[in-house]
Amino acid sequence: MKNKLFFTAIITFGLLISFNASARNAVYKCQAYELNVSYNDTTFPGDVVFVRMKLTAAKGQKNSKNAKTSAKAVITDKKKNLSHSDFFQISASKKNTNELLAGLPLSTWTEAGSYNLTVTYTPFGQGSQEFTIPVTVNQKEFEKEEIPLSSKNTEIRTDTSPERIAQINKLNSVFETVNEDGVHSLECFAYPVNCERRTSHFADRRIYVYSTGKKATALHNGIDFGVPEGTEVTACSTGKVVMAENRISTGWSIVIEHLPGLYSIYYHLSEMSVKEGQNVKKGEKIGLSGATGMVTGPHLHWEIRMNAMAVNPDQLIKDFAFNPEKK
């Protein structure tokens, strides 16, 4: 039977401390261990709710060095689950300390309101425990745009060839991969180009107008930076290149793994400077912007995926992993 730790009770006793406007830190102490939890309790549709946990065994407590804490989290309302994720270890397992992180992506269609985030965990491999903490999702309006497509872009957008379908399936398979050993960096991201001009924004609601006169709706999954062809593109954070190839829809494309289930994507490049399997550092050149694939002009499409879901890239520019030295 699970033991439930109600952090709402901790709020009553003043042990829940805010360290910035949208993050919370909760502390729970028992005879066997101390649990510190940091998470962003106020968020928006399309953002990720990140939860960081640190468990420290009490003095005299006997735990094996290999006794890892496993944990999973779910965000719910009264009717359904909105998001769920397993935690992954973010530091080498120590005899008396376990540190974990999870990211729960929210759909851009998530309604504003109050939700519950429930974490179930096994401290140092022991019996299952559970606690629930509140999450508030604020309202956000997304832009709408209508984009007329040339006959060439219409042909690309409506291409149902086996080659394009195979490329789509391969990319989705990458996004769905959660490599527990893929912890490359916990630092905040940086923008991949030195440009403030955005020609399209994250989660724009699009209507494509085909050259045939037909229309189709779509969601823009990233940010388009209006940079000239040949602009240097850099890795937004340290990671491993898991895809670097030419695709029908997105042209020369690069995907970089940064954390388990967390990827950055760079589309429509004119040149690539990296190859699949290569490790890259934050700020390292990975290619040049271009106008390959389905485009209406030169630009860089930059996108972030968390557990296969497209999420707001701007959120990752901040300290999303609640690094202690940033507090």
Side-chain angles (χ1 to χ4, degrees), residues 251-288:
W252 291 104
S253 306
I254 295 172
V255 180
I256 301 176
E257 174 194 62
H258 302 287
L259 288 170
L262 181 62
Y263 300 90
S264 63
I265 301 99
Y266 313 77
Y267 288 157
H268 312 302
L269 303 172
S270 61
E271 180 183 303
M272 298 192 303
S273 307
V274 294
K275 58 184 179 180
E276 189 173 321
Q278 181 177 336
N279 293 318
V280 294
K281 297 292 186 181
K282 179 180 178 179
E284 181 178 339
K285 177 184 175 182
I286 59 173
L288 300 176

Side-chain angles (χ1 to χ4, degrees), residues 55-221:
L55 292 94
T56 305
K59 290 184 178 180
Q61 187 72 19
K62 295 182 179 180
N63 291 307
S64 168
K65 185 177 180 180
N66 297 321
K68 293 183 179 180
T69 300
S70 62
K72 58 183 179 181
V74 59
I75 297 176
T76 61
D77 61 11
K78 294 180 180 180
K79 298 180 181 178
K80 60 182 182 300
N81 293 348
L82 272 70
S83 184
H84 62 89
S85 180
D86 291 334
F87 282 76
F88 52 86
Q89 300 282 336
I90 57 176
S91 62
S93 180
K94 299 179 182 179
K95 186 174 181 179
N96 295 317
T97 304
N98 282 176
E99 285 193 85
L100 307 93
L101 183 71
L104 293 89
L106 295 175
S107 165
T108 59
W109 304 102
T110 303
E111 295 182 359
S114 298
Y115 299 91
N116 290 321
L117 191 162
T118 299
V119 176
T120 305
Y121 67 106
T122 57
F124 300 102
Q126 303 301 314
S128 180
Q129 306 238 16
E130 182 180 287
F131 63 83
T132 298
I133 47 183
V135 172
T136 299
V137 178
N138 290 327
Q139 187 171 357
K140 183 176 182 179
E141 297 295 328
F142 295 96
E143 295 189 22
K144 298 178 181 179
E145 58 180 349
E146 187 170 281
I147 301 178
L149 298 182
S150 65
S151 55
K152 177 185 175 181
N153 283 337
T154 296
E155 184 177 346
I156 293 175
R157 183 74 170 68
T158 57
D159 183 356
T160 57
S161 66
E163 181 183 5
R164 182 168 180 259
I165 298 303
Q167 289 179 353
I168 293 172
N169 291 337
K170 180 180 178 180
L171 185 63
N172 288 335
S173 178
V174 169
F175 293 155
E176 292 166 0
T177 300
V178 180
N179 173 24
E180 292 186 2
D181 296 323
V183 180
H184 302 283
S185 175
L186 295 173
E187 62 184 336
C188 59
F189 284 18
Y191 291 115
V193 289
N194 184 18
C195 175
E196 295 183 0
R197 177 172 172 257
R198 301 184 180 193
T199 53
S200 287
H201 303 87
F202 168 67
D204 284 353
R205 275 53 171 154
R206 286 183 167 181
I207 298 177
Y208 287 116
V209 182
Y210 296 149
S211 58
T212 59
K214 293 184 178 181
K215 296 182 178 182
T217 59
L219 196 68
H220 188 242
N221 288 324

